[in-house]
C-alpha cells in the first residue's frame, strides 16, 4: 500500500496540475455570476497560500539536503553530497527521502568501511535530520509561508496520518492552509454582518 501510494500520488498530481485550468473553468461555470468575482478572489488567495506551501517545502528539502550532506560527509559515506541532495528533495513526498537516502548511504558506507559503528552513525544522521524536520524545520518554514502556527501544522500532519495514512500526510498541510483561508474570509464576513456590529 505504501509503495502504491508513492507511485499513484505523483501521477495523480501530474494530471491534476496539467488540467488545472480546464478543471477551474468547469467548476466556475457552476457558480452564479453574482458570486463569481468573490469566488475568484478566494481562489486566488488559496492559490497564493498553496504556492507558498510548495516554496516552503522546496526550502525544507534543500535545508535537509545540506544537513544530510554534512552528516554523511562526516561519516565518510561515498557519494555523500549526491545522496544528500536526492534524499532532501525526495522528502517532498513524506518518507520517500528517507527510503531513497538511507538505504544507499548505509550500503555504500558499509561496503567501504565494514564498520557497524559508522553504519549506526549514518542511521543516526537520518534519525536526527528527520526529527529536526518534523519538529522544527517544516513547522517554522512552511508555517511562515502559509500563515499557520507550527502547532497547527504538527496537528494537521498527525490527524492526516491517523485518518488517511500516507495520503493524509501529503495533503494535511495544504488542506489546513485552504481551510484557514476559508475561515478567515468567513470571520471577516461575520464581523461585517449586522449580527456582530449591532
Amino acid at each position: 500500500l505504501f509503495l502504491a501510494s508513492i507511485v499513484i500520488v505523483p501521477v495523480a498530481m501530474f494530471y491534476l496540475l496539467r488540467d488545472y485550468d480546464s478543471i477551474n473553468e468547469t467548476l466556475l461555470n457552476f457558480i452564479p455570476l453574482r458570486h463569481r468575482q468573490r469566488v475568484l478572489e478566494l481562489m486566488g488567495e488559496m492559490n497564493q497560500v498553496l504556492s507558498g506551501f510548495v516554496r516552503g517545502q522546496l526550502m525544507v528539502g534543500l535545508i535537509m539536503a545540506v544537513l544530510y550532506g554534512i552528516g554523511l560527509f562526516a561519516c565518510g559515506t561515498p557519494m555523500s553530497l549526491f545522496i544528500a541532495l536526492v534524499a532532501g528533495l525526495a522528502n517532498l513526498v513524506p518518507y520517500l527521502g528517507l527510503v531513497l537516502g538511507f538505504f544507499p548511504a548505509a550500503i555504500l558506507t558499509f561496503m567501504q568501511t565494514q564498520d557497524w559503528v559508522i553504519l549506526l552513525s549514518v542511521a543516526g544522521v537520518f534519525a536526527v535530520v528527520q526529527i529536526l524536520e518534523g519538529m522544527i524545520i517544516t513547522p517554522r518554514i512552511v508555517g511562515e509561508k502559509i500563515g499557520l502556527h507550527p502547532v497547527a501544522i504538527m496537528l494537521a500532519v498527525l490527524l492526516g496520518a491517523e485518518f488517511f495514512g500516507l495520503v493524509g500526510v501529503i495533503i494535511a498541510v495544504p488542506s489546513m492552509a485552504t481551510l484557514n483561508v476559508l475561515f478567515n474570509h468567513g470571520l471577516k464576513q461575520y464581523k461585517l454582518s449586522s449580527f456582530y456590529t449591532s
Side-chain angles (χ1 to χ4, degrees), residues 20 43-56 145-146 173-178 181:
Y20 179 76
M43 286 176 65
E45 194 171 331
M46 287 180 186
N47 185 53
Q48 196 172 8
V49 168
L50 293 177
S51 62
F53 168 75
V54 172
R55 286 195 300 272
K145 293 284 184 186
I146 62 178
V173 178
S175 299
M176 180 68 84
T178 303
V181 171

Side-chain angles (χ1 to χ4, degrees), residues 12 16 24 34-35 40 42 54 56 61 70 94 114-115 150 166 182 197:
L16 281 173
N24 270 352
R34 63 184 181 277
H35 298 301
L40 283 170
L42 194 60
V54 172
I70 293 168
Q114 303 290 312
D115 190 336
L166 177 64
L182 292 172
T197 55

Side-chain angles (χ1 to χ4, degrees), residues 15-32 36 39-48 50 178:
Y15 283 109
L16 281 173
L17 290 171
R18 190 192 68 175
D19 299 329
Y20 179 76
D21 291 332
S22 60
I23 291 169
N24 270 352
E25 190 175 341
T26 303
L27 292 174
L28 277 173
N29 286 333
F30 289 103
I31 297 166
R36 198 166 291 182
V39 170
L40 283 170
E41 289 172 5
L42 194 60
M43 286 176 65
E45 194 171 331
M46 287 180 186
N47 185 53
Q48 196 172 8
L50 293 177
T178 303

Side-chain angles (χ1 to χ4, degrees), residues 93-104:
V93 177
Y95 307 115
L96 183 60
L98 189 61
V99 173
L100 293 180
F102 174 67
F103 290 111

Side-chain angles (χ1 to χ4, degrees), residues 2 5 8 16 24 28 39 43 58 75 77-78 86 93 109 111 116 127 158 160-161 170 191:
F2 175 77
S5 297
I8 291 169
L16 281 173
N24 270 352
L28 277 173
V39 170
M43 286 176 65
L58 286 171
C75 292
T77 302
V86 170
V93 177
T109 302
M111 285 173 62
W116 288 100
L158 288 172
I170 294 170
K191 286 186 174 181

